[in-house]
């Protein structure tokens, strides 16, 4: 049974099955686009209720941040895997430098994902400690892309937080105006 799923020294058509399975795994990433449906549904739920607006806006911002950092972490991990030759990492790639991994199969650990997620969060939030630096050409290109998209996402998040605060202030001012109007009519 194992020989069916591996090449086993022959050039059968089953030898390409692992590559086909990788394509299927990549296609499963499209399930993540369901998050965008959730975000549009949450926008419909936002009404005039101030508490619900703040809660849904905070939830939306958290989902955007989680989705963005997760995708960039996957891209960062994919960078090392795509630069590997014969299942061995490039000696300059980040799994070798920071995790002492030598073989691609070691990338399936949660530890590797955690390091990639750390890099992603530090890049998106524009903190940039400098402890995880790109060295290979692929890492440099993906870091440039990630930094540019991170600035956009971070700007969106900060603008959204500002709009929530502004919305709260305007709702508070409207409430105070209604209370003052009610007090005026009670005095008359």
């Amino acid at each position: 049974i194992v020989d069916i799923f591996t090449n086993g020294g022959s050039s059968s058509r089953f030898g390409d099955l692992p590559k086909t399975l990788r394509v299927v795994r990549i296609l499963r990433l499209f399930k993540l686009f369901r998050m965008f449906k959730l975000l549009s549904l949450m926008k419909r739920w936002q009404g005039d209720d101030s508490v619900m607006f703040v809660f849904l806006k905070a939830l939306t911002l958290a989902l955007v941040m989680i989705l963005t950092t997760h995708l960039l972490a996957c891209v960062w991990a994919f960078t090392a895997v795509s630069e590997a030759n014969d299942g061995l990492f490039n000696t300059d790639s980040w799994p070798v430098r920071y995790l002492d991994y030598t073989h691609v199969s070691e990338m399936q650990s949660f530890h590797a994902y955690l390091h990639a997620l750390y890099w992603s969060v530090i890049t998106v939030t524009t903190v940039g400690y400098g402890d995880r630096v790109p060295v290979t050409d692929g890492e440099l290109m993906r870091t440039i892309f990630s930094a540019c998209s991170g600035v956009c996402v971070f700007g969106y998040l900060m603008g959204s937080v500002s709009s929530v605060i502004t919305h709260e202030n305007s709702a508070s001012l409207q409430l105070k105006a209604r209370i003052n109007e009610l007090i005026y009519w009670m005095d008359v």
Side-chain angles (χ1 to χ4, degrees):
I1 293 177
V2 174
D3 287 338
I4 292 174
F5 294 107
T6 62
N7 197 355
S10 69
S11 59
S12 69
R13 63 184 172 135
F14 292 112
D16 293 333
L17 193 58
K19 289 181 181 179
T20 306
L21 291 177
R22 286 185 200 151
V23 171
V24 171
R25 285 184 192 167
I26 290 172
L27 292 176
R28 288 192 307 185
L29 285 175
F30 288 111
K31 288 183 180 180
L32 288 175
F33 290 114
R34 292 181 189 169
M35 295 288 285
F36 294 114
K37 280 186 178 181
L38 178 64
L39 293 175
S40 66
L41 179 66
M42 288 171 55
K43 281 185 181 181
R44 279 191 272 149
W45 286 346
Q46 289 178 355
D48 293 332
D49 186 16
S50 178
V51 174
M52 183 60 90
F53 173 79
V54 171
F55 173 74
L56 288 177
K57 195 66 168 179
L59 187 62
T60 302
L61 296 176
L63 286 175
V64 166
M65 184 68 170
I66 289 169
L67 181 65
T68 302
T69 55
H70 170 73
L71 288 175
L72 289 177
C74 291
V75 166
W76 186 245
F78 176 74
T79 301
V81 173
S82 67
E83 292 178 341
N85 292 324
D86 297 325
L88 297 174
F89 287 120
N90 182 344
T91 56
D92 291 332
S93 67
W94 70 268
V96 174
R97 291 190 321 261
Y98 302 122
L99 304 174
D100 294 325
Y101 290 173
T102 56
H103 199 269
V104 173
S105 64
E106 295 172 297
M107 282 294 283
Q108 295 178 359
S109 71
F110 179 73
H111 189 67
Y113 174 75
L114 194 60
H115 277 266
L117 186 64
Y118 169 79
W119 172 87
S120 173
V121 169
I122 296 303
T123 302
V124 168
T125 59
T126 67
V127 172
Y129 289 129
D131 57 346
R132 299 282 189 265
V133 295
V135 174
T136 67
D137 290 342
E139 290 175 355
L140 287 169
M141 289 188 308
R142 285 172 180 92
T143 300
I144 291 169
F145 169 77
S146 298
C148 292
S149 62
V151 166
C152 294
V153 169
F154 193 70
Y156 167 74
L157 292 174
M158 291 300 107
S160 295
V161 168
S162 174
S163 77
V164 167
I165 293 170
T166 304
H167 181 270
E168 279 301 301
N169 287 341
S170 68
S172 176
L173 290 174
Q174 287 175 352
L175 179 63
K176 286 180 184 177
R178 287 182 183 170
I179 290 173
N180 287 338
E181 191 175 322
L182 182 62
I183 290 172
Y184 172 77
W185 285 105
M186 289 176 66
D187 288 338
V188 173

